[in-house]
Amino acid sequence: MSRTESAFHPSPAPQIAALNPYVPGKPISELERELGIRESVKLASNENPLGPGDKARAAYAQAAMDLGRYPDGGGFALRQAIARHHGVDAGMVTIGNGSNDVLDMVARTFLHPGRESVFSQHAFAVYPIAIQAVGATPRIAPARDYGHDLDAMAALINDKTDVVWIANPNNPTGTWLTAAPLKDFIASLPKTCICVLDEAYIEYVSDPDFPNGVDWLADFPNLIITRTFSKIHGLAALRVGYSLSHPQAAELMNRVRHPFNVNAPAQAAAIAALDDAPHIARSAELNRAGLAQLSAGLQALGLAVIPSLGNFVTVDLGRPVGPVDQALLREGVICRPVANYGLPNHLRISIGLEAENARCLAALEKVLAA
Ligand SMILES: *Cc1c(COP(=O)(O)O)cnc(C)c1O
């Protein structure tokens, strides 16, 4: 009898028993082995197809020469660099093992059983997990045109609401909120309610009028901005993210932060990536061209795409996504079905290199015609 076959008697905390786990995509190597394909194209996880810039690669390689010592547990240099980059005090910066870690810290710091937390339908899947893991109650506002409906969200806010979550632009829909309504919404929140503004994709947005939450930190002590090194900076493998907030929110979150949550080579690479403006510009330009290429190609196939400001586009296939996704996999094209986000007919395609986007479009054309 194998160890896993014996009965397991301990019971989890009730909120854990009720939790639907996040389901990551399969590793490419595993998929290729299963399907007998090679050289697949992975457009599934909103990564930068260029990866990191040379400066970040070099800083990582250098730091990898010294793995015997613990990292700087307080992330002093990284927090300084982030603070300088945004023109804020280092005491406003909280670093995380990916911004996912920071989102979790927000929930552990500001939520508890009996309290409520509001987010939108089709919003990022990590919010409900973070909320439920601490035993708080998720309240989900219906979306409008796939995006956040701020009136519907406001209608769910009451004296039990401790945290509201907004991704701008949102994943997996690519939808966005403009400055005035978003700022009015944050201003309308009870002062006791934290507003998380998740700006994982903001570096891809070129519109100068697009709201940058950092500009509002002085106005709203209850605002927490989250950013990541996983998207435009191309460091998804290293897991680095951070928040900018009122120093007191940062101090409270640091109480639950695991010491050494960001490893040393990751800190070094992130510092180098932050101010690598040419690589950021190159990545944004590649994304702009690829988003146009994919959107036009999908529309040419007669499909409706949700307008996106992210590094991905989500398309309505007009039929259940499962069989299309399976057929695409057999063509060596890995995208992300978003049925688990309440979008059973939609496929999210991350923007890749020009040739990867072309291969995805060709495979989709073939699969839909079959
Ligand atoms: C990808 C993404 C993140 C970043 O996650 P990391 O843990 O930093 O890799 C955060 N929020 C949203 C909405 C995302 O899509």
Side-chain angles (χ1 to χ4, degrees), residues 3-368:
R3 255 186 301 168
T4 52
E5 282 176 63
S6 47
F8 182 75
H9 295 289
S11 55
Q15 72 269 22
I16 304 303
L19 221 165
N20 272 328
Y22 181 83
V23 183
K26 276 190 192 169
I28 289 194
S29 54
E30 177 64 18
L31 265 178
E32 290 183 336
R33 200 185 54 73
E34 270 181 28
L35 299 167
I37 52 173
R38 275 203 237 166
E39 290 175 28
S40 59
V41 170
K42 191 178 187 222
L43 303 175
S45 298
N46 298 351
E47 296 135 340
N48 182 340
L50 298 176
D54 291 340
K55 287 182 176 158
R57 287 179 204 271
Y60 181 82
Q62 181 65 38
M65 300 304 286
D66 187 16
L67 297 180
R69 309 230 173 252
Y70 278 98
D72 169 6
F76 180 81
L78 176 56
R79 285 171 57 232
Q80 290 288 332
I82 291 167
R84 204 168 42 241
H85 181 80
H86 291 293
V88 302
D89 291 336
M92 300 169 74
V93 182
T94 305
I95 57 172
N97 192 258
S99 55
N100 197 146
D101 186 29
V102 181
L103 299 171
D104 217 46
M105 282 186 244
V106 172
R108 283 187 284 140
T109 304
F110 294 103
L111 288 172
H112 59 102
R115 307 297 295 178
E116 298 184 359
S117 190
V118 173
F119 58 94
S120 174
Q121 183 187 21
H122 313 318
F124 191 40
V126 164
Y127 309 150
I129 297 175
I131 296 165
Q132 283 174 268
V134 297
T137 304
R139 301 290 308 272
I140 309 173
R144 182 164 55 194
D145 297 333
Y146 299 111
H148 291 68
D149 180 342
L150 294 176
D151 294 330
M153 293 182 76
L156 293 181
I157 288 162
N158 58 48
D159 57 9
K160 289 192 199 140
T161 315
D162 284 335
V163 181
V164 174
W165 314 73
I166 292 176
N168 200 40
N170 184 48
N171 172 24
T173 57
T175 50
W176 65 93
L177 294 162
T178 55
L182 180 55
K183 193 172 184 187
D184 288 349
F185 174 81
I186 299 170
S188 77
L189 292 172
K191 288 189 173 17
T192 51
C193 177
I194 291 283
C195 180
V196 175
L197 188 54
D198 180 343
E199 298 183 332
Y201 299 97
I202 195 168
E203 297 91 347
Y204 287 105
V205 183
S206 58
D207 178 357
D209 292 330
F210 192 82
N212 177 346
V214 180
D215 297 338
W216 298 340
L217 283 168
D219 298 321
F220 303 121
N222 54 336
L223 178 62
I224 299 179
I225 310 294
T226 61
R227 300 280 185 106
T228 183
F229 286 92
S230 302
K231 304 290 157 58
I232 207 161
H233 296 296
L235 293 172
L238 297 189
R239 317 300 305 124
V240 197
Y242 61 95
S243 66
L244 303 172
S245 68
H246 191 283
Q248 216 161 322
E251 191 275 322
L252 291 166
M253 286 196 288
N254 267 291
R255 296 182 192 185
V256 302
R257 187 175 66 86
H258 298 181
F260 313 115
N261 61 336
V262 182
N263 71 67
Q267 290 189 31
I271 291 169
L274 197 58
D275 290 320
D276 189 349
H279 185 67
I280 296 170
R282 197 158 45 238
S283 303
E285 174 53 26
L286 181 76
N287 190 69
R288 191 200 57 71
L291 183 56
Q293 176 194 4
L294 269 177
S295 302
L298 293 165
Q299 278 158 354
L301 295 178
L303 302 173
V305 300
I306 305 175
S308 169
L309 287 184
N311 65 347
F312 56 89
V313 64
T314 296
V315 58
D316 186 352
L317 300 174
R319 59 174 104 171
V321 66
V324 178
D325 180 52
Q326 287 301 315
L328 282 174
L329 291 177
R330 287 191 292 273
E331 297 295 320
V333 175
I334 310 172
C335 299
R336 178 61 61 92
V338 286
N340 59 319
Y341 283 93
L343 297 166
N345 291 355
H346 284 74
L347 186 68
R348 190 190 70 193
I349 307 171
S350 304
I351 312 302
L353 302 172
E354 186 181 358
E356 295 174 325
N357 301 333
R359 205 173 135 193
C360 173
L361 287 168
L364 194 57
E365 180 169 21
K366 177 176 168 189
V367 162
L368 291 176

